[in-house]
Amino acid sequence: MNLSSWSIRNPVPAILLFIILTAAGLFSLHKLGIQNFPDLDVPTILVSASLEGAAPAQLETEVARKIEDKLASVTGVDHITSTITDGAASISVSFDIDKDSEVALNEVRNAVDGARADLPTEMAAPVVSKVTQGSSALLTYTVVAAHLSESDLSWFVDNDISKALLSAKGVGAIKRVGGVEREMHVTLDPALMAGLGVTANSVSSQIKAVQTDASGGRGTLGGGNQSVRTLGRLDQPEQLAGLAIPLTTASTATATRTSVRLDQIATVSDTAEERFAYAALNGKPVVGFQVTRQIGSSEVSVAATVRAAVKTFSASHPQVQITEVIETVTPTQDNYDGSMHLLYEGAILAVVVVWLFLRDWRATFVSAVALPLSIIPTFIVMYLLGYSLNLITLLSLSLVVGVLVDDAIVEVENIVRHLRMGKTPMQAALEAANEIGLAVVATTFTLVAVFLPTAFMSGIPGKFFRQFGITSSVAVLASLLVARLLTPMMAAYLLKPSPVHVTQNGPLMRRYLAMVHWCQTHRRSTMLLAGLFFIGSVSLVPLLSTSFISASDTAQTTISLKLQPGSTLAETRATAAQAQTLIAQMPEVTQVFTVIGDASSDASSSTVNEASLTVSLTPRGTRARSQSEVEAAIRHKLGGLPGTRVGVMGMGNGQSLDVTLASDDALALNQAAAALIKDLRTLKGIGNITDSSSLQRPEIHVRPDPVRMAEQGVTTSDLASVVRVATYGDYATSLAKFNLPQRQIPIRVRFDDSTRSDLDALGQLRVAGRSGAVPLTAVADLSLGAGPSQVARLDRMRNVTLSIELGSLSTGEVDKMVQALPSIKNLPSGVQQIATGDAQRMAELFTSFGGAMLIGILCIYAVLVLLFHDFMQPATILAALPLSVGGALLALLITGSGFSMSSVIGLLMLMGIVTKNSILLVEYAVVAYHNGMGRYEALVDACHKRAQPILMTTIAMVAGMLPIALGWGTDSSFRGPMAVVVIGGLITSTVLSLLVIPVVFTYVDDLLLWLRKHLRHRQPQ
């Protein structure tokens, strides 16, 4: 039985079904999280290896290469990226996007375990972990407490605040910025140490041996069992100065065992660690913390939860002031609000268009009901699949609003037309629903054929389009359910008989039919003009810029400052303060938050020569200059900072282009990078160029003399230990520690700062030898040298990445200019360019999109063949597709928009809508033609009957897209190109389709008649 007829005669099941779907959809909507973009969830495993004090070149050879070689055998690896700094090697292993992250974690862990035997024995076991938290901070707070010292405030953040916030749902990590940790310093007197012949590392190891608790042993006193514990730790840090430790003095040929109090040979102080991290707000030093979310959690929900937790925590700690200074949630919330407003506006405009054409509030109400009942059930599938309300899913729903109401418009308009023939509402609903049924089913499955293949695109773009394709397809299928079950049934019971039985054609319809007549009588001219239009459209493609994601205006930008290696924290602070002063003078700047170094690392690996300034701008609607213009002004202001590499980049995507060179030959790589940088400086329109290749940092080289060492009975390891402990302290794992109720305080033994700043004093450090202590210069030579401050590796080769700020240009434009440079065309032997970043994603996007479009067109054709039982007429319908391209590309060119992911989404939507309109026209003509009407009469009748619903849906879609294309409301940098594509393509395709498709129909029909005639003649008599 016909589904619509059954629903009209049995309304209760359909009503009950949609009540259930609506309730479940609203429940699912409440559960969906709000995000900016979908979580890509690229399987990424991080291997962290540390060896305090080791130089980058040493770590590369002894650690990174050996781990990388083992990782190379793991299946499904996309890239292996290593960053090696002082004392730390971080190896990031990214896998193909479909790789199971738990399997990847286990395989990487097994590979690292296989390399463990080849790693240095003094190095702690590498830590293998899965990346489970967002890459950027969601919220940043500063903490002020007048009653706490800086070290106590830092511990308060690390302990109390972290405990309170990490329990909040969705929080991935709490990271302190600025501040220092408490530490006990035992500063040795070089003269006394030399007189006693005692080394710094022997004092450090003896303190650890004495200042410790140990367990072991068993007692049976009183007939019971007791465990025996040796309690040697001091109760209070103040008692450390009086601690007596045994030492073996070796100032003479005869070694002597003795004991000394620490305060006899050193100054003991309860202080803070050496400062290697710093934070400031508008130039004032602060201690703060950053909150990152777990992957998969809602940005808006996590931010709300954290803010509530901070409010509760502040209420219980009134003496502590916690202030939110930076947040990245507002752009996400604005995009959500903007997308929801777009949904509402599109729905309202669609309803208004229906009323303007039909002038019947009952028919308008029936059409309007279809919108929420098509969208709300979609939330059920989104919730079950773990999707979120993000730019992609909301954009897909916003776009299909016009499509969703289209089915209802076609149904209702057809029913109203039958009513005006004098039929009763029941009779009109039954006959009209039966008449239009095939067209509605065909258009719906055609749209699914367009959208669904995008869900299977590969790579990073596939992660974006998967949610788009599934969400759009489900919404369209829901609209089919509404159009076949609910709309005819509501029309049958709500509409009233129409007193008007004959309608006169208006002036617009008369002109249109006259144009149809002209096109039918001038078929060749019509096809020639359509062909020229298509050729002209294709010629516009080279004129368009390309990018992956358009740069957005988030009212926040980040400035990176990099001083030469070897710069002190004080020098970096001074440069950052100078930059902050210059930036603060700009009227668009509201605050500047400065971070130097990493408070979670140690002093040997913290990059104190680099600073990051987060600049907050006034809201987009309140400033005269755009964010890109403000960033250009910042570049100009900071261009004069001496000896500083400056990078200015917004918080969103599409801000820079990465050019990566890789090679096993470090010298050839550096020469190629230098030549490329020189060529890049000649390009006009780009911003600053940030070079990842490290400058040479100053080093003090201790070169042991094997002969002299052998004579004195000294090893290289002995020398390294003496120098390390005297100048910095022992390894963190080897330091003695105080046990406090909630933490341990390290005891760092070393010489005073004067020893580290005097090469001669370093040479007088005592090394225990066979015949007594000897100075360092007796067994080694000291000199000043240089070495790389950082080593970057990609896929087991050294690499250099040049990050080019796009300025006012697009990714595609800059990439095209870069590829044309002589230094890129003539790379030295052994040096290769590797596609990374937006350039790689852009190539993946267009390659995957081309495949998805081809599959979509084939699916459309297959669906139409099955529905029409004809192999030729579907070609008529597909002829509308090239007619839409010209308007879309022309609109992009006029508005200066580029071809990006949002433009691709617009083209996909355009394919569906254009095909849908074409089906409405051709399906009616085919039915009329087969029922005995003449071809010309059938085409004119189809144009007459279908022009109004096609025009209604086009006007509704264009009206809904117009506010986005004009940039009204929130930042439309992502949605804008999509709206421009839809508007431009719809206008041209609607006009041309209504005129050209009937002509194509006649040519296809002529071909069919010719084939039948010749096949009939060839049949055997």
Side-chain angles (χ1 to χ4, degrees), residues 15-38:
I15 294 172
L16 182 61
L17 172 65
F18 281 98
I19 289 174
I20 294 172
L21 288 176
T22 302
L26 292 173
F27 171 80
S28 301
L29 174 62
H30 178 69
K31 293 289 185 180
L32 290 174
I34 300 173
Q35 293 179 337
N36 194 21
F37 282 103

Side-chain angles (χ1 to χ4, degrees), residues 341-652:
H341 288 155
L342 175 61
L343 265 174
Y344 303 145
E345 290 165 8
I348 293 170
L349 286 168
V351 171
V352 169
V353 168
V354 173
W355 186 84
L356 287 174
F357 275 87
L358 300 181
R359 299 301 175 97
D360 185 335
W361 71 266
R362 291 174 180 271
T364 304
F365 174 73
V366 172
S367 300
V369 167
L371 275 172
L373 293 183
S374 299
I375 291 177
I376 292 175
T378 309
F379 296 133
I380 302 172
V381 178
M382 290 174 61
Y383 173 67
L384 293 176
L385 293 177
Y387 293 171
S388 62
L389 295 170
N390 54 63
L391 261 180
I392 303 297
T393 53
L394 288 172
L395 195 59
S396 64
L397 291 177
S398 305
L399 284 168
V400 297
V401 160
V403 177
L404 299 180
V405 79
D406 191 14
D407 287 337
I409 286 175
V410 171
E411 290 268 10
V412 171
E413 192 273 342
N414 207 40
I415 293 170
V416 169
R417 188 169 55 80
H418 278 263
L419 278 175
R420 289 172 179 171
M421 296 178 184
K423 300 174 183 178
T424 63
M426 181 68 73
Q427 185 183 6
L430 286 168
E431 294 182 9
N434 186 55
E435 178 185 273
I436 203 74
L438 178 61
V440 171
V441 172
T443 55
T444 299
F445 280 101
T446 298
L447 286 169
V448 173
V450 172
F451 299 142
L452 203 55
T454 63
F456 303 101
M457 289 170 61
S458 60
I460 297 294
K463 279 289 185 180
F464 284 95
F465 279 95
R466 187 161 301 163
Q467 297 199 14
F468 171 81
I470 298 291
T471 304
S472 301
S473 300
V474 171
V476 168
L477 289 172
S479 78
L480 174 64
L481 198 62
V482 173
R484 301 310 293 151
L485 279 179
L486 203 63
T487 303
M489 181 264 291
M490 290 180 65
Y493 291 100
L494 291 179
L495 298 187
K496 297 293 183 183
S498 175
V500 181
H501 300 301
V502 181
T503 56
Q504 299 293 328
N505 290 332
L508 186 62
M509 180 60 73
R510 289 197 296 272
R511 288 195 189 93
Y512 166 61
L513 293 176
M515 293 172 70
V516 170
H517 175 73
W518 186 92
C519 291
Q520 288 294 316
T521 55
H522 299 80
R523 295 193 303 167
R524 290 183 180 179
S525 300
T526 302
M527 294 304 295
L528 179 62
L529 290 172
L532 290 174
F533 178 78
F534 176 68
I535 293 171
S537 305
V538 174
S539 66
L540 295 176
V541 173
L543 303 177
L544 294 173
S545 60
T546 55
S547 60
F548 180 52
I549 295 178
S550 304
S552 57
D553 190 327
T554 59
Q556 266 186 26
T557 189
T558 302
I559 302 167
S560 62
L561 305 177
K562 189 172 184 179
L563 280 67
Q564 60 185 2
S567 300
T568 63
L569 178 63
E571 291 171 336
T572 309
R573 283 181 60 175
T575 302
Q578 186 179 354
Q580 184 270 331
T581 303
L582 292 171
I583 297 168
Q585 298 170 359
M586 301 176 64
E588 296 89 353
V589 174
T590 58
Q591 70 174 23
V592 181
F593 186 71
T594 304
V595 176
I596 302 174
D598 184 0
S600 61
S601 66
D602 57 70
S604 66
S605 60
S606 181
T607 50
V608 295
N609 66 318
E610 297 180 13
S612 174
L613 281 67
T614 303
V615 182
S616 300
L617 307 178
T618 53
R620 187 174 69 95
T622 61
R623 50 184 149 88
R625 293 190 288 187
S626 67
Q627 181 169 325
S628 59
E629 291 172 333
V630 173
E631 289 169 353
I634 291 175
R635 290 188 193 101
H636 179 71
K637 277 184 172 291
L638 301 186
L641 290 178
T644 306
R645 290 179 179 176
V646 180
V648 183
M649 198 173 301
M651 304 294 287

Side-chain angles (χ1 to χ4, degrees), residues 157 419 643 733 791:
V157 171
L419 278 175
T733 54
V791 174

